[in-house]
Amino acid sequence: MRGAASLAGSAMFVAPLLALLAIWAIVVPLFEVNPRVFPSIGAVGGAALDSIRDGTLIAHIGASLLRVGLGTLIGIATAVPLGVAMGVSPTVAAFLTPLFRFFSVLAGIAWIPIATLWFGYGFGAIVFVIFNAVFFVVTYNTLLGVQTIPHTLRNAAWSLGAGRWAMLTEVLLPGALPNIVTGIRTGLGFAWRGLIAAEMIATNVGLGYMLFVARDFYRTEVIVFGMIVIGVLWLLIDRLILVRIERATIERWGMVRRA
Amino acid sequence: MKTLSLRNLGKTYFDPYAGAHVTAVHDVSLDVQQGEFVSVVGPSGCGKTTILNMIAGFIPHSKGEILLDGTPVNGPGPERGVVFQSFALFPWKTVLDNVGFGPKMRGVPKAERDRIARDYLALAGLSHAANRYPNELSGGMQQRVGVVRALANEPAVLLMDEPFAAVDAQTRMTLQEELTRIWQDRKPTVLFITHDVGEAVFLANRVVVLSKGRILDEVAVDLPRPRVWDQLVDDDEFKRLSAQVLQMVRAA
Ligand SMILES: Nc1ncnc2c1ncn2[C@@H]1O[C@H](COP(=O)(O)OP(=O)(O)OP(=O)(O)O)[C@@H](O)[C@H]1O
Ligand SMILES: [Mg+2]
């Protein structure tokens, strides 16, 4: 029953992508589009096979995922405690909220120039941009999450004997989780875009670099293939990791409506 | 002998919008004996919730004393269990873990607190729901969990603020009957707040009538137990007591 439902869900998800592929397969040969403007499906498939065979694809993906993973982990590990600490004090929260809202909007790409000045061109600058994209958004959302926990829940925990530590681990963190997850999803979205942009400027390996170099040689088939990889990887991260976390926790607890 | 004593208790709020002080509770003195079930009734705004929140330690009191067994209370504590009108169950914990929360805070090991929680869930007829999450339960079931969660911590006094106001009338009557049954079984000390006169009389040994932040009067209720609505609706003594309390509340 569940299997059938999730199969139907996957079909609904894949169908529009297949339609796009079909249009591509028809339109490019029909109008004899110049491959320097847009590649055929066959050429992109060829580029895909080449990059898989010579191992460059896996190197680019590995480099990009490592940067995203590291920056995101540092971002979450610092943002969640800070957001909770801010959330428990109304004064601190009121003072810092406008600041974090401001930086949430700036998160990611806008920091690339200054990050390269601070860390030089390379790993450090890129990880910083990702960390930054995740950090402000997750902090702000964690803060919001802690603030929206009904006060009666804190009172209930308190009158059942919870101390400060138990309040944090048993009430504030799980209570803020819906917002934390939203923050991570938004932040990772920023981070992913920031990653591609930063890799175009500040490195010599990674998916963004792959696009950037291909452009110099008019290799549209490599560019389009890279774009597809970037999109597919994002969807996989979102659906296989983030959506699953949501299902197992906040949806189960009835804290968000099932989409 | 655990008793709850309120001595000349008072509460004055500062209302920042009106820029004025509002005295919600003027001067309340009340003793609740161990194992007693006391209902507090009064019209809306007479200070019932304020009194309960002060006893629970959620808000500070402005004057007087709150003593538990002779010791002044300060802030919330597990010896004063609270049942909330809005249930206040933890959505991220199963029913079993909600009920076992108090024992967990006391450091009771997992196996032992699960046993305690199952024992109390059985008392409320909820054994089958142990592994469900609160959002999967009806309002009536959620409040049963709310009641046994407070009881499982074995508080010296159980504080209840209109706990059955958010469920439908039929469920409310069932919950009231169950509460009297549980009370007979475990004999907790209960301070029960309501604006429903019938509910106050049905449940209590003693009904205290509150008016504008002061105790107006009180009525002893000696109706036999177990109490069930089918018998009490036509019971002359129940009707007489209810009418008496209602008259006081309306005069309040
Ligand atoms: N935080 C507050 N600040 C200012 N005034 C308050 C506050 N809380 C309650 N009051 C006032 O104190 C009075 C008593 O309120 P309380 O909530 O104790 O009444 P109640 O008897 O519980 O009423 P109800 O039956 O409607 O629940 C009311 O006049 C109310 O407006
Ligand atoms: Mg009230």
Side-chain angles (χ1 to χ4, degrees):
Chain A
M1 199 47 220
R2 275 197 71 144
S6 88
L7 209 65
S10 301
M12 290 279 281
F13 188 79
V14 171
L17 299 176
L18 288 179
L20 192 66
L21 273 181
I23 293 171
W24 182 11
I26 295 164
V27 168
V28 170
L30 190 67
F31 294 98
E32 293 175 359
V33 177
N34 182 344
R36 283 196 173 194
V37 175
F38 206 85
S40 68
I41 290 191
V44 171
L49 283 178
D50 286 347
S51 66
I52 293 168
R53 262 194 226 114
D54 66 14
T56 50
L57 178 65
I58 211 71
H60 290 312
I61 290 179
S64 290
L65 285 183
L66 177 68
R67 291 161 183 157
V68 167
L70 190 66
T72 302
L73 279 184
I74 301 173
I76 294 173
T78 48
V80 170
L82 182 67
V84 172
M86 283 164 63
V88 292
S89 160
T91 328
V92 177
F95 183 75
L96 290 176
T97 298
L99 221 57
F100 273 81
R101 207 181 278 171
F102 176 77
F103 280 112
S104 292
V105 177
L106 272 184
I109 299 174
W111 287 80
I112 293 172
I114 204 153
T116 53
L117 287 181
W118 290 348
F119 297 96
Y121 288 84
F123 191 75
I126 298 171
V127 171
F128 175 78
V129 167
I130 289 158
F131 156 78
N132 172 292
V134 172
F135 175 77
F136 288 105
V137 184
V138 174
T139 305
Y140 178 58
N141 278 277
T142 305
L143 165 67
L144 219 59
V146 171
Q147 284 178 323
T148 50
I149 296 170
H151 223 273
T152 51
L153 284 186
R154 292 198 217 181
N155 280 344
W158 215 0
S159 69
L160 286 164
R164 282 168 150 261
W165 179 251
M167 188 67 82
L168 178 70
T169 56
E170 308 268 354
V171 181
L172 300 182
L173 282 178
L177 195 64
N179 286 271
I180 294 176
V181 173
T182 305
I184 292 174
R185 281 179 92 169
T186 318
L188 258 180
F190 283 142
W192 197 239
R193 275 165 254 164
L195 169 86
I196 304 303
E199 283 179 342
M200 289 188 185
I201 300 164
T203 186
N204 51 16
V205 65
L207 292 166
Y209 175 77
M210 176 175 153
L211 298 191
F212 190 67
V213 171
R215 183 204 161 272
D216 282 351
F217 298 95
Y218 300 99
R219 299 282 305 272
T220 54
E221 74 281 10
V222 176
I223 296 177
V224 169
F225 173 59
M227 289 166 73
I228 292 172
V229 171
I230 289 164
V232 167
L233 275 180
W234 169 248
L235 287 179
L236 288 179
I237 292 172
D238 194 51
R239 291 184 72 88
L240 294 187
I241 303 177
L242 300 177
V243 172
R244 282 196 183 180
I245 294 175
E246 269 186 2
R247 291 249 163 85
T249 56
I250 53 190
E251 280 187 14
R252 180 97 209 269
W253 307 336
M255 290 168 78
V256 285
R257 294 245 161 275
R258 242 162 263 244
Chain B
M1 189 71 181
K2 295 253 190 235
T3 57
L4 172 70
S5 298
L6 312 181
R7 301 270 162 77
N8 307 105
L9 189 62
K11 176 70 187 181
T12 302
Y13 289 108
F14 179 70
D15 185 342
Y17 302 103
H21 292 274
V22 184
T23 300
V25 178
H26 285 276
D27 184 2
V28 167
S29 296
L30 176 69
D31 282 310
V32 182
Q33 304 301 321
Q34 185 181 17
E36 201 181 7
F37 196 125
V38 174
S39 292
V40 177
V41 275
S44 185
C46 71
K48 304 182 295 293
T49 296
T50 302
I51 292 175
L52 186 127
N53 284 341
M54 287 191 287
I55 302 171
F58 299 148
I59 57 173
H61 50 277
S62 313
K63 73 177 188 85
E65 278 185 312
I66 302 167
L67 303 172
L68 195 60
D69 223 8
T71 315
V73 307
N74 197 354
E79 70 291 342
R80 284 154 289 139
V82 182
V83 181
F84 298 83
Q85 182 175 338
S86 58
F87 317 148
L89 301 179
F90 306 117
W92 47 86
K93 288 182 180 293
T94 60
V95 165
L96 191 73
D97 288 342
N98 262 282
V99 178
F101 187 81
K104 184 177 184 182
M105 295 302 103
R106 289 202 306 268
V108 177
K110 173 85 177 138
E112 173 65 5
R113 64 174 188 259
D114 281 357
R115 196 195 56 70
I116 295 172
R118 283 186 200 285
D119 177 39
Y120 277 94
L121 284 173
L123 188 66
L126 278 172
S127 297
H128 62 284
N131 295 318
R132 294 211 230 153
Y133 284 91
N135 78 302
E136 299 165 328
L137 307 183
S138 69
M141 289 165 84
Q142 290 191 43
Q143 195 56 304
R144 286 184 180 93
V145 177
V147 171
V148 292
R149 179 178 68 174
L151 281 174
N153 221 12
E154 295 182 353
V157 53
L158 190 61
L159 307 168
M160 308 176 84
D161 186 5
E162 308 205 26
F164 306 146
V167 298
D168 65 86
Q170 276 72 38
T171 309
R172 188 178 314 142
M173 291 169 104
T174 313
L175 288 172
Q176 288 159 350
E177 290 176 344
E178 283 179 12
L179 182 59
T180 61
R181 180 175 56 73
I182 291 173
W183 180 81
Q184 261 192 295
D185 196 71
R186 307 278 158 135
K187 286 285 159 55
T189 309
V190 182
L191 189 66
F192 189 102
I193 281 175
T194 178
H195 61 250
D196 178 339
V197 170
E199 178 174 67
V201 174
F202 180 86
L203 294 170
N205 306 120
R206 185 150 64 100
V207 177
V208 173
V209 180
L210 202 67
S211 165
K212 302 188 185 86
R214 289 193 174 82
I215 289 178
L216 196 66
D217 209 342
E218 61 172 63
V219 175
V221 181
D222 286 326
L223 295 167
R225 294 177 189 266
R227 296 179 186 168
V228 282
W229 278 111
D230 282 350
Q231 289 165 19
L232 282 189
V233 263
D234 291 324
D235 185 276
D236 287 336
E237 178 66 359
F238 176 75
K239 283 196 264 189
R240 191 188 64 76
L241 288 167
S242 301
Q244 187 187 350
V245 174
L246 185 63
Q247 216 170 19
M248 291 174 182
V249 171
R250 301 205 54 181

